Amino acid sequence: MISELQFQQELIGIIENGIREDIGPGDYSSLACIPANAKGKAKLLVKDNGIIAGVEFAKMIFKHVDPSLEVEILINDGQTVKHGDIVFYVSGSSQSILKAERLVLNSMQRMSAIATKTNHFVKLLEGTETKILDTRKTTPGFRAAEKWAVKIGGGENHRFALYDMIMLKDNHNDFAGGITNAINKTKRFLKENNLDLQIVVEARNLNEIAEILESEGVFRILIDNFNFEDTKKAVKLIGLKCLTESSGNINEKTIREYANCGVNYISSGALTHSVYNMDLSLKAV
């Protein structure tokens, strides 16, 4: 996984690009009718039910726009919210509050939806030893915030990008001339470039799992698009030789059954690519 410093830099990049995109040369609406020295206060109002996420990110946005803005938090990241709840108050320059408003709302609505869905999946897995993972199927330019939301919802992060973990999927294996060739070439590449990265290899059937197990150094096997019975066979075949991960069209109706097959992880792109934003608004007090 990437370092905390790099993760923070990714978040700052999201904020800087969001402000650039939304404000450009200036918030002319506010500049036209709000005096520069006007002070105001606003509240973050919840108009939905779920898990709130993005409170700390909102603080980062407000600080970036205007360090003098003051935020009073009433409900923290990861807490359950309902319609009518007030998450925080922000006070200070009226122009600054309005500058930050849209980026705060867009971010928190998306992050809260992801945290809510992740939390739902986590609850479906209660009583098992299986953990839910996100994927790289994220909104371009907003990945760090979305993966943060998964953590807030109780899930775990898969690799952040293409550079912090080796993941040999079907296309890599086919282009490399087979699974064994792909693994051997990867281990040579890591050694030659002095890289310490975990290796995950995807399997499409039980024969491929058997082939993967012939190689040393595989951290986790991705059991992709297997049915329940074959997943159980795969887990038994793998044993304690490496970790296991199920993926491929797993939804809330099937996730528990896959967990009962004994896999260590289940990865789901739906955590980030198939959510409906939580309804939030920032209203002047």
Side-chain angles (χ1 to χ4, degrees), residues 59-215:
K59 284 175 61 179
M60 292 178 64
I61 296 170
F62 285 127
K63 183 178 181 181
H64 181 89
V65 170
D66 184 347
S68 70
L69 289 175
E70 296 182 359
V71 181
E72 178 190 357
I73 297 174
L74 305 180
I75 302 175
N76 292 302
D77 282 325
Q79 289 187 250
T80 301
V81 292
K82 63 183 185 304
H83 191 286
D85 282 345
I86 297 172
V87 177
F88 61 69
Y89 291 101
V90 57
S91 57
S93 165
S94 297
Q95 286 192 3
S96 296
I97 292 172
L98 290 168
K99 282 181 182 178
E101 176 185 9
R102 181 44 52 195
L103 182 56
V104 166
L105 286 174
N106 285 352
S107 300
M108 289 194 67
Q109 287 177 317
R110 182 78 180 168
M111 290 178 71
S112 295
I114 291 169
T116 299
K117 184 156 193 170
T118 301
N119 186 255
H120 175 58
F121 275 34
V122 168
K123 288 181 177 178
L124 290 174
L125 292 175
E126 283 182 354
T128 75
E129 296 184 0
T130 305
K131 295 179 173 60
I132 188 73
L133 292 170
D134 56 23
T135 69
R136 286 170 43 246
K137 296 176 183 176
T138 54
T139 306
F142 199 63
R143 178 173 295 172
E146 293 189 344
K147 283 185 169 283
W148 189 1
V150 168
K151 292 284 285 184
I152 290 170
E156 296 195 7
N157 295 148
H158 211 303
R159 60 176 175 168
F160 185 82
L162 291 172
Y163 53 76
D164 62 323
M165 176 185 278
I166 296 291
M167 194 164 178
L168 302 176
K169 304 188 77 173
D170 53 359
N171 282 337
H172 298 95
N173 297 331
D174 290 343
F175 284 144
I179 288 174
T180 302
N181 280 338
I183 294 172
N184 290 338
K185 289 177 181 177
T186 295
K187 289 193 287 189
R188 284 198 299 271
F189 173 83
L190 293 177
K191 185 176 181 180
E192 290 168 359
N193 290 276
N194 196 29
L195 292 170
D196 182 20
L197 299 176
Q198 296 169 341
I199 301 175
V200 178
V201 185
E202 179 181 287
R204 290 170 286 195
N205 53 59
L206 293 169
N207 288 334
E208 289 191 343
I209 286 179
E211 182 178 353
I212 294 168
L213 292 173
E214 292 175 2
S215 298

